[in-house]
């Protein structure tokens, strides 16, 4: 007999942006407060699984929240981390409950150019770690100011010639502030990664080090002592992307950064990214962006 049990909804950043009333769909980065959201009935009060990371700071009121089947009673000055692909659910909220949230994807992390040496500092995103902190008023207020800054920068009405760049810099500040809070409030807590998370972390660290000269999955799989198929399976389960997709994306991000420099020619960028020649670089860039490097460079002049 079939039972009418609703499946767990995969809640994307684009879904959140729609519920927040954004005119343009957002895929990689979004800040909001819960009072801006108008979720549909099939989402409200039911388990959700996100394709992104979320960091929320409670500003007022109280709520009962569940992350990976563990119940949390959250209130003012509480910090809550929701890792990628984790099941979570609001079960009950006060009428005056307000939480400010920063949502971001794996792609946005790559675009923000956080140094690979700092990746271990962000172990609070492990699904094995307690995602909850009770902050002192002073620390909560300081973090709130950074989150308000990000929310202002993320506002579609906010115009700035270097908007993308300052969002990335602001996001980096935010991430290091959160990492510092976890070190302060849990100084003796070891980062406990699952085997899958260890593999993903190692792959990303190697990717930052070698993507310019090594773009084959075989290279990274050999370095991690596994088959390309197994590595791709582990990475895709946690990011919804294959190893090849992640390699290509980081190359494109780096290419765009270089092309933004008006002092570098397309040929120089191709050489620095170790393509055999400008033609193959242009073909690769157009395949992934829809335009040639020359047109991309011309558009930013």
């Amino acid at each position: 007999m079939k039972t009418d049990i609703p499946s767990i909804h995969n809640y994307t950043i684009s879904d959140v942006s729609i519920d927040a009333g954004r005119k343009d769909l957002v895929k990689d980065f979004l800040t909001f407060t819960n009072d801006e959201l108008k979720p549909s009935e099939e989402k409200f009060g039911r388990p959700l699984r996100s394709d992104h990371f979320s960091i929320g700071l409670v500003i007022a009121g109280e709520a009962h929240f569940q992350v990976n089947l563990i119940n949390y009673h959250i209130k003012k000055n509480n910090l809550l981390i929701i890792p990628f692909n984790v099941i979570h659910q609001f079960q009950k909220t006060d009428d005056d409950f307000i939480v400010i949230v920063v949502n971001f994807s794996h792609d946005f992390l790559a675009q923000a150019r956080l140094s690979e040496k700092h990746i271990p500092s962000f172990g609070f995103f492990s699904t094995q770690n307690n995602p909850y902190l009770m902050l002192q008023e002073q620390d909560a207020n300081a973090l709130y100011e950074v989150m308000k800054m990000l929310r202002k920068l993320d506002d579609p009405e906010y115009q700035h010639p270097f908007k993308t760049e300052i969002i990335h810099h602001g996001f980096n500040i935010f991430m290091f502030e959160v990492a510092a809070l976890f070190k302060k409030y849990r100084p003796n807590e070891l980062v406990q990664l699952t085997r899958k998370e260890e593999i993903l972390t190692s792959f990303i660290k190697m990717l930052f080090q070698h993507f310019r000269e090594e773009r084959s999955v075989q290279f990274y799989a050999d370095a991690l002592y596994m088959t390309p198929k197994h590595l791709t399976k582990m990475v895709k389960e946690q990011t919804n992307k294959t190893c090849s997709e992640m390699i290509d994306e980081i190359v494109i991000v780096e290419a765009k950064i270089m092309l933004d420099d008006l002092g570098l020619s397309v040929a120089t960028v191709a050489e620095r990214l170790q393509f055999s020649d400008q033609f193959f670089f242009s073909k690769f860039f157009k395949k992934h962006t829809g335009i040639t490097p020359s047109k991309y460079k011309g558009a930013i002049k």
Side-chain angles (χ1 to χ4, degrees), residues 109-121:
L109 277 173
Q111 294 163 16
R113 305 287 294 168
L114 286 165
S115 174
E116 59 88 14
K117 70 179 181 181
H118 294 301
I119 290 175
S121 298

Side-chain angles (χ1 to χ4, degrees), residues 64-122:
H64 291 273
F65 196 70
Q66 188 178 87
V67 180
N68 268 351
L69 305 180
I70 299 176
N71 294 317
Y72 296 93
H73 180 201
I74 56 177
K75 52 187 179 181
K76 183 179 178 181
N77 298 337
N78 283 182
L79 183 67
L80 193 67
I81 309 292
I82 305 175
F84 169 87
N85 211 31
V86 162
I87 298 172
H88 58 282
Q89 175 185 3
F90 273 105
Q91 298 176 314
K92 182 182 178 182
T93 62
D94 291 348
D95 291 338
D96 61 345
F97 177 72
I98 298 292
V99 59
I100 184 170
V101 183
V102 175
N103 285 347
F104 53 95
S105 67
H106 281 96
D107 286 353
F108 188 84
L109 277 173
Q111 294 163 16
R113 305 287 294 168
L114 286 165
S115 174
E116 59 88 14
K117 70 179 181 181
H118 294 301
I119 290 175
S121 298
F122 306 131

Side-chain angles (χ1 to χ4, degrees), residues 287-299:
K287 175 183 176 183
H288 292 282
T289 66
I291 61 173
T292 65
S294 298
K295 286 187 177 180
Y296 176 87
K297 198 168 185 64

Side-chain angles (χ1 to χ4, degrees), residues 31-202:
T31 62
F32 65 93
T33 56
N34 61 298
D35 58 336
E36 298 176 271
L37 297 182
K38 293 180 174 60
S40 56
E41 290 186 5
E42 71 266 15
K43 299 173 191 170
F44 186 77
R46 293 187 177 181
L48 301 172
R49 178 182 278 117
S50 300
D51 70 342
H52 54 274
F53 303 96
S54 300
I55 301 179
L57 177 67
V58 181
I59 305 305
E62 300 183 12
H64 291 273
F65 196 70
Q66 188 178 87
V67 180
N68 268 351
L69 305 180
I70 299 176
N71 294 317
Y72 296 93
H73 180 201
I74 56 177
K75 52 187 179 181
K76 183 179 178 181
N77 298 337
N78 283 182
L79 183 67
L80 193 67
I81 309 292
I82 305 175
F84 169 87
N85 211 31
V86 162
I87 298 172
H88 58 282
Q89 175 185 3
F90 273 105
Q91 298 176 314
K92 182 182 178 182
T93 62
D94 291 348
D95 291 338
D96 61 345
F97 177 72
I98 298 292
V99 59
I100 184 170
V101 183
V102 175
N103 285 347
F104 53 95
S105 67
H106 281 96
D107 286 353
F108 188 84
L109 277 173
Q111 294 163 16
R113 305 287 294 168
L114 286 165
S115 174
E116 59 88 14
K117 70 179 181 181
H118 294 301
I119 290 175
S121 298
F122 306 131
F124 49 81
F125 280 124
S126 171
T127 57
Q128 302 302 301
N129 285 5
N130 185 341
Y132 167 90
L133 281 183
M134 178 64 200
L135 304 181
Q136 296 173 2
E137 185 86 17
Q138 182 178 359
D139 290 331
N141 289 341
L143 184 63
Y144 182 41
E145 291 303 316
V146 177
M147 297 177 81
K148 284 197 299 182
M149 174 194 68
L150 282 176
R151 189 177 176 210
K152 174 187 175 182
L153 298 176
D154 184 42
D155 190 325
E157 301 299 321
Y158 178 75
Q159 299 296 320
H160 193 286
F162 302 103
K163 180 173 181 175
T164 299
E165 288 78 7
I166 60 175
I167 286 177
H168 287 158
H169 285 294
F171 175 75
N172 288 348
I173 292 171
F174 170 67
M175 287 293 284
F176 286 120
E177 289 291 345
V178 173
L181 289 171
F182 271 83
K183 287 183 179 294
K184 176 179 178 178
Y185 286 87
R186 296 195 191 141
N188 299 318
E189 182 177 275
L190 296 176
V191 176
Q192 298 178 347
L193 301 179
T194 65
R195 175 58 179 158
K196 290 180 181 179
E197 289 168 341
E198 287 178 351
I199 291 171
L200 178 62
T201 299
S202 297

